[in-house]
Amino acid sequence: MHELLPPWPLFSAFLVSSLVLALTPGPGVLYIVTRSIVQGRRHGLLSVFGVALGNLGNALAASLGLAALFAASALAFSIVKYAGALYLIYLGIRMLGTRPAAPALAVPAPSSLNRVFRDGFVVALLNPKTTVFFAAFLPQFLSPDAPFVVQSITLGAVFVAIAALTDSAYALAAGVLAPRLRGGAGSHLGRVLGGLTFIGLGLFTALAGSRGANK
């Protein structure tokens, strides 16, 4: 079982990073909160499951693609890690420099709960940035001594589970916290926290990537 997960110090960093990133308000959180506000918490929680399934699909796609790349070349592992580091740093800088935009999510009233679930799934699955994010995030915590597919799918599932829990908390608290989440100081704090987290992960990869590969 230990082969599925990185050593505890690295895995604990993964858990903390995943929690911080999952808590950072983004398009998925905004979608879920909006569903919960407009159509009730039941619809919001159902949206959480749809978004989680879509995110899991992106994690699987990223894992299979990375596995094929790493199997073809050992050098590719290092290239992807450092490319991922640069991408994460870029994401952080861009997030810190982004002005808050007025969210305008028009959420039509669905005819059934199945439609709510399906909409959440499609919104998450068809977001190409999610797959790119997984491709940049997961390699930071993989060990070259264990199967890449198994490791990345396991870590991807853990991340999706953490995100589903935090998204559920957002849905349950949406009635009280929605005004802060949709704009103002709360939105600014979320962007700053997310930006600094991305930059920190990128620096962690660049400075400790080669040492981590030996473990």
Side-chain angles (χ1 to χ4, degrees), residues 4 29 32 48 55 59-61 66 88 101 103 118 127-128 131 140 150-151 163-164 174 179 186 189 192:
L4 303 180
V29 170
I32 291 166
V48 169
N55 286 337
L60 291 174
L66 288 172
L88 289 169
R118 188 187 70 186
N127 182 6
T131 304
Q140 324 311 320
V150 178
Q151 287 185 90
L189 179 61
V192 171

Side-chain angles (χ1 to χ4, degrees), residues 57-149:
N58 280 313
L60 291 174
S63 298
L64 294 176
L66 288 172
L69 181 63
F70 295 158
S73 170
L75 179 61
F77 182 82
S78 296
I79 293 176
V80 169
K81 287 195 67 142
Y82 285 106
L86 292 175
Y87 172 76
L88 289 169
I89 292 173
Y90 161 75
L91 259 187
I93 293 174
R94 191 177 68 173
M95 183 176 292
L96 289 174
T98 299
R99 290 284 181 183
L105 266 182
V107 183
S111 57
S112 68
L113 292 176
N114 289 335
R115 174 71 179 275
V116 176
F117 176 85
R118 188 187 70 186
D119 287 351
F121 173 75
V122 171
V123 164
L125 188 66
L126 298 186
N127 182 6
K129 292 183 179 180
T130 304
T131 304
V132 176
F133 168 75
F134 277 119
F137 182 65
L138 295 180
Q140 324 311 320
F141 304 95
L142 300 182
S143 168
D145 300 325
F148 292 117
V149 172

